[in-house]
Amino acid sequence: MILDGKQTSEKRLALLREKIEESGLYPRLATVLVGEDPASQLYVKMKHRACERVGIGSIAVDLPETATTQEVLDAVHRLNEDPMIDGILVQLPLPSQVDTHAIIEAVSPEKDVDGFHPTNLGRLFSGSPVFSPCTPLGVMNLLAEYGINPAGKRAVVIGRSIDVGRPMAALLLNADATVTICHSKTEDLATVTSGAEILVSAIGKARFVTQEMVGDGSIVIDIGTNYDENGKLCGDVDFDKVEWKTAGISPVPGGVGPMTIATLMENTFAAARLRSCGPL
């Protein structure tokens, strides 16, 4: 079974547009882009297009590659204080001279629709999330669409990054899965991963997950976005050799990526609703 993130995201975006129209609210998302990295520019454009589709207003704050930490902070502070802005997304990665942690912490938790602020991560890890990072939450939404309940299942997450791996593990744990996090120091990795009923890879290495690492009848979620030696877009999972062993697998492209953008839109609407009812 292919876990089709593109189809699922289209369904969720259509439902979201209806909810926004019924709410009487006009959510607005602001993006902050520093520099001219082509991939980052593309991602930001995709997010603005998604805003248009669902009825979310959007503004773009573009800063030069040479911007300092203070200049980026000034932009974030202006957006924090703007009563017309419900959500703020700072496109990562930032140039090396910019203090990424300082920028993330500067975003108001009430407008942090990316879910990266320490306050929101703390809420997630405490079991009471408000805004969760969009990619891991998108994975949970994709699982739910296909009726896959993590409760009681053995889940393994490959990767421990603060933006994907760790919040992914927290969301699975909050959903009552038994969770193991694997990383570069994990010994006998294949033995651990092959015992997973739900395997999530967020390691960022092309076709790293082979058939020996996957258990029969498991659910495999591929969060990786990589390019192979021929320049072809691929995930962390060696899809062609792994698919036959699984009960469900997400492809790259067309899997988790579209779900991430749909979840950002949902978080932005949630931020607008929360702000209309007062601060968190």
Side-chain angles (χ1 to χ4, degrees):
M1 174 174 64
I2 302 298
L3 306 181
D4 191 332
K6 189 174 189 306
Q7 183 180 52
T8 303
S9 68
E10 293 288 334
K11 176 181 176 181
R12 294 184 72 93
L13 288 172
L15 290 172
L16 179 61
R17 183 176 184 88
E18 292 179 5
K19 290 179 181 179
I20 291 173
E21 289 174 350
E22 292 170 359
S23 73
L25 298 173
Y26 183 55
R28 295 188 76 202
L29 173 70
T31 62
V32 178
L33 175 64
V34 184
E36 299 180 356
D37 176 72
S40 292
Q41 289 180 324
L42 175 60
Y43 294 149
V44 168
K45 286 180 181 178
M46 291 169 64
K47 291 162 185 175
H48 284 280
R49 284 201 295 265
C51 285
E52 292 177 9
R53 290 187 55 192
V54 300
I56 291 176
S58 64
I59 68 167
V61 177
D62 296 332
L63 299 173
E65 184 76 26
T66 56
T68 64
T69 297
Q70 189 57 54
E71 287 171 334
V72 183
L73 285 173
D74 290 344
V76 170
H77 289 149
R78 286 194 296 272
L79 295 171
N80 282 339
E81 295 167 4
D82 188 339
M84 300 300 291
I85 298 298
D86 297 293
I88 301 170
L89 180 143
V90 179
Q91 183 64 42
L92 302 178
L94 293 168
S96 58
Q97 79 276 5
V98 178
D99 185 338
T100 298
H101 293 295
I103 303 305
I104 290 173
E105 292 184 11
V107 176
S108 169
E110 291 82 3
K111 296 188 179 186
D112 172 40
V113 290
D114 239 356
F116 291 158
H117 191 280
T119 295
N120 285 322
L121 287 175
R123 288 166 171 159
L124 169 60
F125 282 93
S126 71
S128 302
V130 177
F131 297 120
S132 297
C134 298
T135 295
L137 185 54
V139 169
M140 299 302 291
N141 291 337
L142 183 60
L143 292 174
E145 175 67 20
Y146 284 88
I148 300 166
N149 184 358
K153 290 185 170 61
R154 298 184 304 277
V156 173
V157 178
I158 309 175
R160 55 179 170 178
S161 68
I162 195 61
D163 55 337
V164 180
R166 295 184 193 220
M168 185 76 257
L171 284 165
L172 287 165
L173 184 61
N174 291 350
D176 297 320
T178 300
V179 183
T180 300
I181 302 178
C182 295
H183 46 78
S184 60
K185 303 298 183 184
T186 300
E187 296 183 358
D188 201 4
L189 179 62
T191 297
V192 179
T193 60
S194 62
E197 294 170 276
I198 299 175
L199 177 62
V200 182
S201 182
I203 197 170
K205 293 184 178 180
R207 301 192 179 97
F208 177 84
V209 177
T210 59
Q211 58 183 333
E212 293 79 14
M213 298 172 66
V214 175
D216 291 337
S218 60
I219 300 296
V220 176
I221 302 293
D222 192 348
I223 299 180
T225 302
N226 315 293
Y227 291 90
D228 64 15
E229 62 277 7
N230 298 316
K232 182 180 179 181
L233 178 64
C234 65
D236 290 350
V237 179
D238 194 345
F239 186 92
D240 293 338
K241 295 180 180 178
V242 167
E243 179 188 3
W244 68 273
K245 294 189 73 174
T246 70
I249 185 170
S250 69
V252 177
V256 176
M259 295 300 298
T260 298
I261 293 179
T263 303
L264 173 65
M265 299 299 106
E266 291 167 342
N267 276 358
T268 302
F269 178 49
R273 293 179 63 182
L274 285 168
R275 279 165 47 77
S276 72
C277 298
L280 297 176

